[in-house]
């Protein structure tokens, strides 16, 4: 027991027992399966998460509706600030040396009061005119979804804390009033399946604490198995969230939890939709090394600014 090295895996874990009673004996098995995933692949899938199919369908529908708008309407939904509203196809090239990523996306954060100036990462949302898309078709389901995903992320952070041998409430302060954004993503089919330089999303790691991804049935997400340099397909499962560890959590845990490289190639011949939810914690939270070592402390805001600067030279 415990002496076998943990194998690379992307397990599917049913969270329902944990949700019913986090103190139950079986809940410990869930915590332990999630820990094994976090220390190897950095990826796992969860079913039994409690988010309704109706709400998920409504969010996928919102994505379809917004991306079907004419290009001249979509570009009006771009924001002057990063991380909100529409982003055109090819706006990002996540992997150096590759063609621009073949996706378009739309970012939604929490609603904020109108002000003269905004703090980093706390910018106002951009909404399509209600002449184009009604609030009940877009704004309402996406905001409701964001709320529910925050609650689910909070629960997962408790599992992650337990998996590190910490009190389950250890991350509660980090989770309060978090920077947490929904990204609606649309990947057109690859025009040329033999072009190795064209990816839907180039190889990258996520920046924040954890990402919870809802994906359709098309497939295309791949995770890097570092020891063999293989790309492992993440099996699409409409009922599951793909959860992965981000760079902030990797650094915070001194590498115990793994922020792994992943990419997307839409080989399905059809449109692919996915909806990552990036959970990055409270901007003012001070990240202290979990092993109690005397490293410098830094806030979530400082970490995220530095990470964005490294990737895009902005902020
Ligand atoms: O669309 C996907 O499956 C993954 C998207 C992703 O990795 C990201 O947006 O960071
Ligand atoms: Fe990602």
């Amino acid at each position: 027991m415990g002496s076998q090295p943990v194998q690379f895996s992307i397990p599917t874990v049913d969270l329902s027992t944990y949700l019913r009673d986090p103190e139950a004996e079986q809940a410990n098995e869930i915590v332990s399966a999630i820990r094994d995933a976090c220390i190897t692949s950095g990826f796992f899938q969860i079913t039994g998460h409690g988010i309704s199919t109706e709400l998920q369908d409504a969010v996928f529908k919102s994505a379809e509706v917004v991306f079907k708008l004419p290009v001249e309407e979509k570009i009006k939904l771009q924001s002057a600030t990063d991380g909100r509203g529409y982003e055109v196809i090819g706006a990002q090239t996540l992997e150096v040396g590759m063609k621009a990523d073949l996706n378009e996306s739309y970012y939604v954060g929490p609603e904020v009061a109108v002000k003269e100036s905004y703090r980093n990462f706390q910018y106002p949302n951009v909404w399509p005119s209600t002449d184009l898309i009604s609030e009940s078709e877009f704004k309402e389901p996406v905001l409701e979804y964001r709320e529910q995903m925050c609650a689910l992320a909070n629960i997962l952070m408790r599992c992650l804390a337990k998996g590190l041998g910490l009190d389950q409430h250890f991350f509660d302060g980090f989770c309060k009033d978090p920077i947490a954004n929904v990204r609606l993503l649309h990947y057109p089919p690859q025009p040329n399946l033999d072009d190795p330089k064209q990816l839907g999303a180039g190889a990258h790691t996520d920046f924040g604490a954890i990402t919870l991804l809802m994906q359709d049935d098309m497939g295309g997400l791949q995770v890097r198995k570092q020891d063999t340099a293989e790309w492992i397909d993440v099996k699409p499962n409409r009922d599951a969230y793909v959860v992965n560890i981000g760079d902030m959590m990797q650094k915070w845990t001194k590498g115990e939890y793994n922020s792994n490289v992943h990419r997307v190639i839409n080989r399905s011949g059809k449109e692919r939709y996915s909806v990552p939810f990036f959970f990055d914690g409270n901007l003012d939270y001070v990240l202290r090394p979990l092993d109690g070592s005397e490293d410098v402390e830094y806030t979530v805001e400082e970490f995220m600014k530095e990470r964005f600067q490294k990737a895009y030279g902005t902020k």
Side-chain angles (χ1 to χ4, degrees):
M1 268 262 302
S3 57
Q4 293 285 334
V6 181
Q7 299 291 320
F8 178 103
S9 70
I10 306 176
T12 300
V13 180
D14 179 355
L15 205 63
S16 53
T17 313
Y18 184 93
L19 292 182
R20 265 196 301 278
D21 180 8
E23 308 300 334
E25 185 59 32
Q26 288 136 308
N28 289 332
E29 286 166 28
I30 292 166
V31 167
S32 156
I34 290 177
R35 176 192 160 75
D36 286 353
C38 292
I39 65 173
T40 58
S41 68
F43 274 73
F44 56 97
Q45 304 212 46
I46 48 164
T47 55
H49 43 69
I51 307 286
S52 78
T53 313
E54 287 74 26
L55 182 58
Q56 294 181 322
D57 288 346
V59 170
F60 271 129
K61 187 85 196 133
S62 303
E64 272 181 45
V65 171
V66 82
F67 294 127
K68 280 216 172 83
L69 288 175
V71 182
E72 60 271 23
E73 292 298 342
K74 287 194 280 196
I75 59 175
K76 288 186 208 157
L77 298 169
Q78 295 177 110
S79 168
T81 50
D82 289 333
R84 295 290 181 272
Y86 180 67
E87 209 171 69
V88 294
I89 290 190
Q92 292 188 336
T93 308
L94 285 171
E95 189 173 348
V96 177
M98 294 292 172
K99 290 183 180 171
D101 294 343
L102 193 60
N103 70 63
E104 58 184 337
S105 69
Y106 200 104
Y107 289 91
V108 176
E111 284 286 79
V112 294
V114 177
K115 292 185 228 169
E116 262 184 27
S117 65
Y118 296 92
R119 189 172 173 187
N120 274 317
F121 307 107
Q122 293 187 334
Y123 301 118
N125 280 317
V126 181
W127 301 113
S129 140
T130 48
D131 301 339
L132 293 172
I133 306 177
S134 70
E135 291 195 350
S136 63
E137 264 186 306
F138 191 79
K139 181 176 175 177
E140 288 168 14
V142 178
L143 283 178
E144 173 61 26
Y145 182 75
R146 185 189 166 279
E147 279 301 310
Q148 294 199 20
M149 293 308 289
C150 281
L152 179 57
N154 212 324
I155 290 164
L156 277 170
M157 290 294 284
R158 289 187 182 165
C159 289
L160 295 189
K162 277 186 158 185
L164 291 162
L166 300 167
D167 184 276
Q168 63 161 328
H169 296 292
F170 187 88
F171 292 132
D172 284 6
F174 174 84
C175 294
K176 212 169 165 272
D177 194 15
I179 298 302
N181 300 317
V182 171
R183 185 183 188 197
L184 308 172
L185 260 165
H186 167 225
Y187 299 86
Q190 291 264 138
N192 174 4
L193 292 180
D194 299 322
D195 182 353
K197 289 208 175 291
Q198 183 64 77
L199 304 171
H204 69 281
T205 55
D206 292 350
F207 297 174
I210 53 171
T211 305
L212 283 72
L213 176 93
M214 170 167 85
Q215 58 169 334
D216 66 14
D217 298 319
M218 298 307 151
L221 173 62
Q222 299 183 314
V223 176
R224 184 88 158 168
K225 188 164 184 291
Q226 302 294 355
D227 56 348
T228 59
E230 275 171 287
W231 287 103
I232 309 294
D233 290 319
V234 179
K235 234 174 86 196
N237 179 352
R238 192 54 191 73
D239 295 327
Y241 281 95
V242 179
V243 184
N244 66 286
I245 298 293
D247 297 340
M248 190 196 300
M249 184 58 87
Q250 174 172 288
K251 183 168 177 187
W252 199 5
T253 62
K254 292 262 177 137
E256 193 163 346
Y257 283 175
N258 184 19
S259 173
N260 208 351
V261 179
H262 53 287
R263 68 178 189 182
V264 177
I265 312 174
N266 177 15
R267 296 181 170 281
S268 66
K270 299 184 193 137
E271 314 297 320
R272 174 179 190 263
Y273 292 90
S274 72
V275 186
F277 169 77
F278 301 106
F279 188 77
D280 304 336
N282 184 296
L283 274 186
D284 295 316
Y285 189 85
V286 179
L287 297 155
R288 295 187 179 88
L290 294 177
D291 62 359
S293 65
E294 291 303 307
D295 275 6
V296 274
E297 301 171 352
Y298 46 94
T299 62
V300 166
E301 182 173 18
E302 283 163 350
F303 179 89
M304 292 304 282
K305 265 192 186 166
E306 197 189 309
R307 193 63 191 80
F308 269 90
Q309 244 154 21
K310 244 189 226 158
Y312 306 119
T314 57
K315 285 224 169 69

